Every structure is written in structure tokens, then in C-alpha cells.
Amino acid sequence: MNDMPVFNVLDEIIDKDIVSFHVPGHKKGSIFEKVNYRKYKDKIGNMDTTEIPGTDNLHSPEGVIKKSQEIASNVFKSDYTFFLVNGSTCGIYASIMSVCNPKDKIIVNRDCHQSVVNSCILGDIEPIYVNPNIDLNLGISLGVSYEEIKKVIDNNKDAKAVLITSPTYYGVSLDVKKIADYVHSKGKILIVDEAHGAHLGLSDKLPKKSLELGADIVIQSTHKTLPSFTQSSMLHVKEKRVNIDKLKSFLKIVQSSSPSYILMSSLEMAVNIYINYGKELMNELIENINSVINFIDNLKNIKVFKYKHQDITKLYIITKELKKSGYEVENILRDKYNIQVELSNSYGILLVCSIGNTNNDFKKLKKALNEIDNEIGNENLIEINYPTNIPKKILNPRDAFYLDKKSIRIEESIGKICGEYIIPYPPGISILSPGEEITKEVIDYIKKSKEIGMNITGIKDTNLNYIQVID
């Protein structure tokens, strides 16, 4: 097996029995043991098929896929639900391009996923950004406020739609109801990127689902917080304001013509677990999370992020008082305790918890945090100021994408027009996009971030010595 590097590393990870506090939500298949779905797990390799008699067709469903999507629609209380096999990314593409024509405006939160900007490039659509609130002490986004959304809508009356992200990567839930009411009062459509909220309907201790709060289109990464397989998602629609036929047409364009039956069957399996075991498993999960929060509250140096409107299945653990960066703590957890978190930043680590996690996962986490809490670092953390100003947009993203570019030293790029993305990953949120003016604030941020271990994607020179600019 020496010529199978991907398989070999996956096999190695399985053998290490790493505790998963990262996506996907099935947690390395542990959910199958919890709900006795071993039959599904054992037969997965035999399910890789194509459109043959009896299997139906995702792009024109009339049989089993149609029935399965209708079951999901009933569970999530939509008018239509569509299975996505190219991830939430293709759902974002289809949603935006189905409600906006070329040259139209769409209002979006600046901390949107990169797929939103890519949609504007593909559809020749003009993004109008709304600045999120930033917790400067932690360097994380708290999402956009109703007041800021309202202000931008009032200044862009010709915009066709509004897209918001709720909950955020860190679990902050926006005032979707208030935003939806105002968006609709101005004759616009509301799209919600709910990639991290597929599980929200399983408990009244969690924020409400965007669809029941007035959203017209909701895209969920089922694989992130429910137990479907990576790259499988769902798109839920209320049809009052949405052209369903146009949406279906774009889904055919942006999805594979050979959709994976393994991914589709995993979505169906996730819905089935949601119906039959979801609430019980979610209650158990919330008890475990609250136990961890109470445990952390009694530690000396490690803290936990708390917010008034929060999905607590996202545990952001603050490490500032340890005098250790989140990157350092992530490495300690992985190397010493066999625990893998979702992401780390300068000031903490993010854990994504799901109904696939076991009681033992949380016991191991408590033990690790208790020991780490006593290991104070020796150096002061490098302070990083998260960029709070939206860079000036000089060119439409599509125009910038197609224009010729050249590489210059990054120190000489301030004031130039950016020709590529600068995306700290995860979570994949662009702080600089093609067509925007490069600022000193952004350059300082990414250079310091790289210095302490953040992964920067989108940029051709990953060493951050050079950047592509538009000549």
C-alpha cells in the first residue's frame, strides 16, 4: 500500500483513535454504534452505484430520491428540500444566481464564506458588504446586527436579496426574525447560510431554525453537525418569493451530473437518525456540554466563550490567560491527548460538538484541560488586531478575476488592487477579495497571523512574500 498515500494516512488516523471535536458530525462513524446502524456502515461500499432502474435521478427525481427529499422537507418544515452532493457551496451558488441576475446587487455579511464571493464572480453579481461586530479581545466575528443590515438595505434599495450567516462559526445566532421582516418589507429575498445549524431543531435550548424565523432559502451543511458524510448538504426553501424552477435549473448546473448515491443515502440516514434518535441524543449532548462549561468555569486560566444568543454545541475555549496561543493548545491536545479540535486562532480553540460525540469524549477533554490549565506559558502572546474596516472595492469581483495580474512583494502592495483571495482557514472567510484595495491593516494582520501559525489560503505564495495584484 506504499502507493496509496491518502488511504494510508486515513488508516493511520483510524488506528490512533483520535477524539473528534471537529466536523464531520458523525465523529468517525461513532454515531453508527450509538444508534445501532452497523448494517449501514458495513454495506457502504456496495452502495456506490449510478442511475440504474430503481435508483431514480437527483436532477429529475420521480422515485426514491423524490420520496426521500419529501421526507426531509416534512422534517425540516420547508416547502421544498433539495439534496446537495457538492456541499453547501453549490447550494450557495444556486441560491444566489437564482434570485439575482447579472449586474444585480446582493447584500451580504462581510464575514461570509468564500463561496458567496465566488457566486458573485460566476453570476456577475455585485456584493454589497455589511460589517460584522468584532470581539477585539478574542479576534472573532459576532455576526452582523439588524441595525447594520437595515442601514445597508436603506442605502441600496435596488438590491435584489440579502444573505446572512447564522449561526456563525463560533455559534453566534443573529436576529433572523427581525432581519427577515425588514428584508421582506422592502420586497427582497432572504438567504441564510446555516451551514453550521442543521441540528438546531433538536432542542428548544438551542437557537431557532432560520426557516421558521422567516428565511426564504436556507442552506445547511448536514455533514457538519448531523451525521451525513462530508460534502453532503441540504437546501430548504419556502416558495412564496422564490422561483423554484429557476433554482432547480441552477442546481443542475452546479451539481455533478454523476451524483454520489453514498452521499445521498447518508443524507437520508441523517434524517432518519434526526427523527428517531435526535432529540434524545441532543439532550445528552447538551448535558455533556454544560458539564464541560461548568468544569471550565472552575479552572484558573482557561475560560469559555459565552454569548447571549448562542449555539452551545460550538465550544470556543479561550487560552489567553494561559499565555499560550490557541495554535499551541491545539497541538498539545492532539500530540499529548489524542484530541483534535475544529480550529485554533491566536486566543483560543473551537470545538464542534455533535450528537455523534460520546460521554467518554468529554471525560477525556476535561482531563486534558485540567492538566493544561496548570501549564502557564512563558511568553506574552502576540497581539493581533483583526481587520475591522471593509477594504475599498475598486472592481467588481468578476472583472477582477478575469484581468491580468502580476506578483509584487507584499510590502509594496499597499494601495494596489488585490488580484487574489486572502483567506484565513478555517473557517474560510475572506478578509481580502479580488478587486479590493490592499490595506496596511490587512497586510499586518496576515503577516502576524502567519507568524503564530495560522493557515492562509487563496494566495498563490503561501510564504506571504509576494501577492498578486491587478496591473
Side-chain angles (χ1 to χ4, degrees):
M1 300 226 178
N2 291 332
D3 58 345
M4 297 173 61
V6 174
F7 177 89
N8 290 340
V9 76
L10 293 175
D11 195 43
E12 182 182 330
I13 288 171
I14 292 169
D15 290 342
K16 284 184 177 178
D17 193 26
I18 294 169
V19 174
S20 169
F21 283 108
H22 57 88
V23 301
H26 58 71
K27 305 300 179 184
K28 300 190 294 133
S30 66
I31 189 70
F32 302 122
E33 303 300 323
K34 292 179 77 171
V35 298
N36 198 22
Y37 272 50
R38 294 185 188 89
K39 182 178 179 181
Y40 182 89
K41 188 177 180 181
D42 292 342
K43 292 191 174 182
I44 196 67
N46 304 107
M47 295 179 183
D48 191 16
T49 185
T50 188
E51 293 87 351
I52 58 176
T55 63
D56 206 2
N57 187 317
L58 177 64
H59 298 301
S60 184
E62 296 178 349
V64 292
I65 295 174
K66 181 175 185 285
K67 183 177 180 181
S68 192
Q69 289 186 150
E70 287 172 349
I71 292 170
S73 176
N74 183 58
V75 169
F76 290 95
K77 297 180 172 53
S78 68
D79 293 331
Y80 292 88
T81 287
F82 300 96
F83 287 174
L84 306 176
V85 295
N86 288 30
S88 288
T89 292
C90 76
I92 295 288
Y93 290 169
S95 298
I96 290 177
M97 290 191 289
S98 70
V99 302
C100 294
N101 293 326
K103 306 301 181 185
D104 280 346
K105 292 180 181 177
I106 184 170
I107 295 167
V108 304
N109 53 290
R110 176 62 191 188
D111 54 333
C112 63
H113 191 265
Q114 59 181 305
S115 60
V116 175
V117 183
N118 287 339
S119 300
C120 293
I121 291 173
L122 290 171
D124 195 13
I125 298 160
E126 192 76 26
I128 307 298
Y129 294 114
V130 184
N131 242 347
N133 295 314
I134 302 294
D135 186 323
L136 296 176
N137 291 319
L138 300 178
I140 65 172
S141 168
L142 301 176
V144 294
S145 67
Y146 163 77
E147 289 75 19
E148 286 299 311
I149 288 280
K150 181 178 182 298
K151 186 188 303 181
V152 176
I153 290 174
D154 292 344
N155 290 332
N156 294 273
K157 293 183 172 63
D158 55 341
K160 289 291 182 69
V162 176
L163 182 145
I164 59 174
T165 304
S166 183
T168 68
Y169 211 156
Y170 293 89
V172 175
S173 183
L174 308 190
D175 193 344
V176 178
K177 177 69 167 66
K178 201 170 181 180
I179 292 171
D181 288 346
Y182 195 74
V183 168
H184 294 153
S185 75
K186 299 300 178 180
K188 306 181 194 308
I189 291 173
L190 179 63
I191 302 169
V192 179
D193 177 355
E194 200 175 68
H196 288 270
H199 62 293
L200 293 181
L202 291 176
S203 174
D204 57 11
K205 296 176 183 176
L206 299 173
K208 288 187 176 181
K209 298 180 295 181
S210 296
L211 206 64
E212 65 180 291
L213 295 174
D216 299 297
I217 303 176
V218 173
I219 304 98
Q220 295 177 339
S221 293
T222 317
H223 66 96
K224 285 184 167 71
T225 61
L226 289 176
S228 69
F229 293 159
T230 297
Q231 202 175 307
S232 61
S233 298
M234 294 190 204
L235 190 156
H236 307 293
V237 188
K238 291 288 189 180
E239 67 176 328
K240 182 178 179 181
R241 300 173 184 86
V242 178
N243 184 329
I244 297 296
D245 289 335
K246 193 173 182 182
L247 178 61
K248 287 179 179 178
S249 295
F250 274 108
L251 283 172
K252 290 178 182 178
I253 291 172
V254 298
Q255 294 223 77
S256 170
S257 59
S258 300
S260 165
Y261 278 83
I262 291 177
L263 295 183
M264 286 187 283
S265 68
S266 80
L267 285 168
E268 183 176 77
M269 177 267 298
V271 172
N272 193 268
I273 290 175
Y274 187 103
I275 295 168
N276 293 305
Y277 304 95
K279 290 189 175 181
E280 176 187 343
L281 291 174
M282 182 56 69
N283 286 337
E284 177 187 314
L285 175 64
I286 290 173
E287 285 180 10
N288 277 320
I289 291 170
N290 283 328
S291 175
V292 168
I293 291 172
N294 292 334
F295 179 82
I296 293 173
D297 285 343
N298 289 306
L299 296 177
K300 298 190 295 293
N301 301 300
I302 295 174
K303 309 298 177 187
V304 66
F305 173 68
K306 297 176 183 177
Y307 200 69
K308 54 188 175 181
H309 303 296
Q310 186 181 14
D311 168 18
I312 64 168
T313 68
K314 310 298 187 300
L315 269 177
Y316 180 55
I317 296 174
I318 305 161
T319 62
K320 283 181 75 171
E321 293 183 25
L322 269 177
K323 294 187 177 180
K324 295 179 190 288
S325 72
Y327 305 110
E328 189 177 353
V329 174
E330 176 183 5
N331 289 334
I332 293 170
L333 283 170
R334 176 62 183 261
D335 297 339
K336 187 175 179 180
Y337 299 99
N338 240 20
I339 295 172
Q340 179 62 56
V341 303
E342 171 70 10
L343 68 81
S344 55
N345 61 20
S346 306
Y347 306 123
I349 53 174
L350 178 67
L351 283 66
V352 175
C353 311
S354 85
I355 58 175
N357 282 114
T358 65
N359 294 332
N360 199 41
D361 291 344
F362 291 96
K363 288 178 182 177
K364 290 180 179 179
L365 177 64
K366 287 179 184 177
K367 179 180 183 296
L369 293 178
N370 186 58
E371 293 180 8
I372 294 171
D373 189 55
N374 294 310
E375 300 171 2
I376 299 292
N378 296 319
E379 299 179 7
N380 292 323
L381 295 177
I382 298 174
E383 291 291 329
I384 297 182
N385 296 318
Y386 190 92
T388 56
N389 297 310
I390 296 176
K392 184 179 180 182
K393 183 167 62 180
I394 309 297
L395 296 170
N396 174 285
R398 183 182 177 92
D399 293 339
F401 182 82
Y402 282 106
L403 286 172
D404 291 337
K405 302 160 185 73
K406 66 178 182 180
S407 288
I408 64 172
R409 292 198 66 84
I410 201 163
E411 294 84 1
E412 300 169 1
S413 69
I414 296 168
K416 306 287 187 183
I417 303 173
C418 189
E420 55 189 338
Y421 289 104
I422 296 180
I423 306 169
Y425 197 90
I429 293 168
S430 175
I431 61 169
L432 196 61
S433 295
E436 295 178 341
E437 184 177 358
I438 300 170
T439 65
K440 184 177 185 299
E441 183 185 30
V442 168
I443 297 303
D444 289 346
Y445 174 77
I446 62 169
K447 291 191 79 171
K448 285 186 178 180
S449 297
K450 182 70 174 178
E451 185 181 337
I452 63 171
M454 182 184 288
N455 185 27
I456 308 291
T457 67
I459 190 165
K460 186 176 180 180
D461 178 17
T462 55
N463 292 319
L464 301 183
N465 294 318
Y466 293 87
I467 187 170
Q468 296 270 305
V469 299
I470 295 170
D471 208 353

